[in-house]
Amino acid sequence: MAEASGPDSSRRVTIHDVARSAGVSRQTVSRALNGKDEIERSTKQRVLDAARELGYRPSRFARGLVRQDTTTIGLVIPDLRNPFFTEVAASALESARARGWHVVVYDTADRPEEELGTLQVIGSQVDGVVGYFSCDEDELDRWTRGMPMVLIGREHRMARFSSIRIDGEAGVHAAVTHLVAKGHTMIGMLDHVNRAEPSLRRDWFTAAALAHGIDPGRVAGAAQSADGGGEGLRALLGAHPEVTAVFTFNDIVAVGALREARRLGRRVPAELAVIGFDGLQLGALVEPPLSSVALDTRLLGSLAVEQVGRLLTGADPLPPEALEVRAELRLAGSA
C-alpha cells in the first residue's frame, strides 16, 4: 500500500482520501476504480487522477469489498473475552446485518497503543468506525481523515465524530443509597487498575459516597477479569478489613469478588454485599445472583450503528439526548 507524502507520510492513503480529493463519495470512488459505467466519464477520470496523484492502491481485502459495492464498518472492541463487550458487539452486528452491511471486528486487548494500529489497518477497508477508544481525539482524526466515527462511552468534541454517552451516575447513587439503607457505612470500590486516572465510575461512586457522609477512599484496583476481581478484593480487605460492602467497576470483577469472598469465608450478602456494573446475563448464573447497575447493551450497539449510518448518508444525526444510555440499579441476591 502506498503512503501519503508530507507530514503524514506514516499514514497509509485510504479510499476516503481519494474521495475527499476528488470531491466525491467513497461509493463513487469504488465504482470508478472498478470500471463501473453508471458514473460520468469526467467524474471517473477525476477519481483516477486523484488516486494516481495520492499514490492510492487498494489492498486485496479492500478490493474484495469494493467489488461487492456495499457499506463496511469497523467495530473496535477492547476485550471480546469480556461478556459485556461481546453483548455490545452482538447487537451492533445484528443491526448492521439488518442493513446489509459488512462488519470488520477488531479487539484491541484493552491497550490504548493498539487502537491507532487498528485504525491504520482498517483505514482503507471501512466506510465508518464504531467502538471504544481511549486515545486522544486528534490522533483518531489523523488516522481516520474524514471517516465517520461513533465513540462509545466517551464524549467527543470534533463535529465529524459522534458519541454514545453512558450515564451511570443516578444508578451508582441508587446502589450506594441501597447499601446505606441496609446498614452499610464501610463501603469500598474495586476500580479499573489500568487507567492512568480514576475512572468515571469511581467519580460517580465518590460523589454518591460523599452525599451519604461515607469515606470514598476505600478503593483498590482490579484487572478486568474474574481473577482480577478476586485479587482486588483481597487487596481491598487487606487494606480496609472494616469494609462490609463493595461496588465494582464491572460485573466480571464482581463475579471474581464473589468467588473470593466465598474462599475467604465471607457470607454474601450477610457479611459482604457486592454490587457490579453492566447488568450482564452472566450475573443471574452465579450464586448468589449478582446485583448490578445495569446497562442496555443491545441499545448501545444498535444506537452506534444507527448513528454511523446517518453520518454516512448525510441524514440528520440523532440528537444528543437520544444518544444517552442510562444505567439503572438491578437488585438480586448479592446485595
Side-chain angles (χ1 to χ4, degrees):
M1 175 87 47
E3 296 180 343
S5 59
D8 272 336
S9 60
S10 62
R11 188 179 68 83
R12 63 181 64 190
V13 177
T14 72
I15 196 170
H16 302 280
D17 295 318
V18 178
R20 187 173 58 255
S21 177
V24 298
S25 69
R26 179 265 187 197
Q27 287 77 10
T28 297
V29 174
S30 298
R31 295 186 181 103
L33 295 179
N34 283 275
K36 301 292 184 179
D37 295 329
E38 60 265 31
I39 61 174
E40 294 184 3
R41 182 176 300 177
S42 60
T43 301
K44 179 179 179 181
Q45 189 59 52
R46 190 164 74 250
V47 170
L48 295 177
D49 290 344
R52 184 175 59 255
E53 290 171 5
L54 292 172
Y56 171 72
R57 290 187 299 113
S59 67
R60 287 191 301 167
F61 179 75
R63 284 198 297 270
L65 298 180
V66 165
R67 280 197 297 270
Q68 295 177 44
D69 199 25
T70 190
T71 297
T72 301
I73 63 169
L75 177 60
V76 180
I77 297 295
D79 186 3
L80 284 171
R81 296 170 300 178
N82 185 327
F84 174 80
F85 295 118
T86 304
E87 289 184 13
V88 173
S91 173
L93 288 166
E94 181 181 11
S95 297
R97 189 181 303 115
R99 291 169 168 78
W101 294 357
H102 290 303
V103 180
V104 181
V105 181
Y106 275 82
D107 183 335
T108 59
D110 206 21
R111 293 199 295 266
E113 63 270 19
E114 292 291 328
E115 296 173 3
L116 298 179
T118 294
L119 290 177
Q120 183 178 8
V121 170
I122 68 176
S124 62
Q125 301 172 1
V126 301
D127 302 294
V129 177
V130 168
Y132 292 82
F133 294 91
S134 59
C135 56
D136 185 81
E137 202 165 311
D138 289 329
E139 285 296 300
L140 294 178
D141 181 57
R142 177 173 178 256
W143 289 101
T144 55
R145 284 304 179 91
M147 186 190 307
M149 286 193 74
V150 177
L151 312 175
I152 303 178
R154 64 176 280 186
E155 301 289 347
H156 73 283
R157 56 181 174 78
M158 292 189 177
R160 72 176 186 84
F161 290 165
S162 184
S163 300
I164 308 298
R165 182 172 178 266
I166 294 174
D167 184 0
E169 185 171 11
V172 174
H173 190 277
V176 173
T177 299
H178 169 76
L179 293 173
V180 171
K182 289 290 186 177
H184 298 283
T185 58
M186 305 297 178
I187 304 172
M189 180 184 176
L190 298 181
D191 197 12
H192 198 308
V193 74
N194 293 329
R195 303 287 171 84
E197 301 292 335
S199 69
L200 183 57
R201 297 177 191 186
R202 181 173 173 181
D203 291 342
W204 294 332
F205 169 75
T206 297
L210 290 174
H212 287 283
I214 291 171
D215 179 5
R218 300 180 180 92
V219 178
Q224 301 304 287
S225 65
D227 288 343
E231 293 168 3
L233 183 65
R234 286 198 303 274
L236 178 64
L237 295 179
H240 303 283
E242 72 278 9
V243 164
T244 62
V246 60
F247 167 67
T248 69
F249 181 86
N250 64 26
D251 284 356
I252 294 299
V253 169
V255 168
L258 286 176
R259 185 175 64 187
E260 184 62 19
R262 185 180 302 112
R263 194 189 70 81
L264 294 173
R266 291 274 193 121
R267 291 178 298 143
V268 178
E271 296 175 317
L272 184 71
V274 179
I275 298 181
F277 191 106
D278 281 343
L280 298 181
Q281 298 176 20
L282 173 67
L285 304 178
V286 298
E287 184 59 38
L290 180 64
S291 295
S292 183
V293 180
L295 288 165
D296 187 340
T297 54
R298 288 183 59 83
L299 182 59
L300 274 173
S302 62
L303 275 179
V305 171
E306 169 69 17
Q307 185 74 331
V308 80
R310 288 170 177 256
L311 295 176
L312 280 168
T313 61
D316 291 336
L318 293 169
E321 61 270 19
L323 294 171
E324 182 176 272
V325 178
R326 293 187 177 182
E328 299 180 349
L329 178 61
R330 184 184 301 163
L331 291 173
S334 70

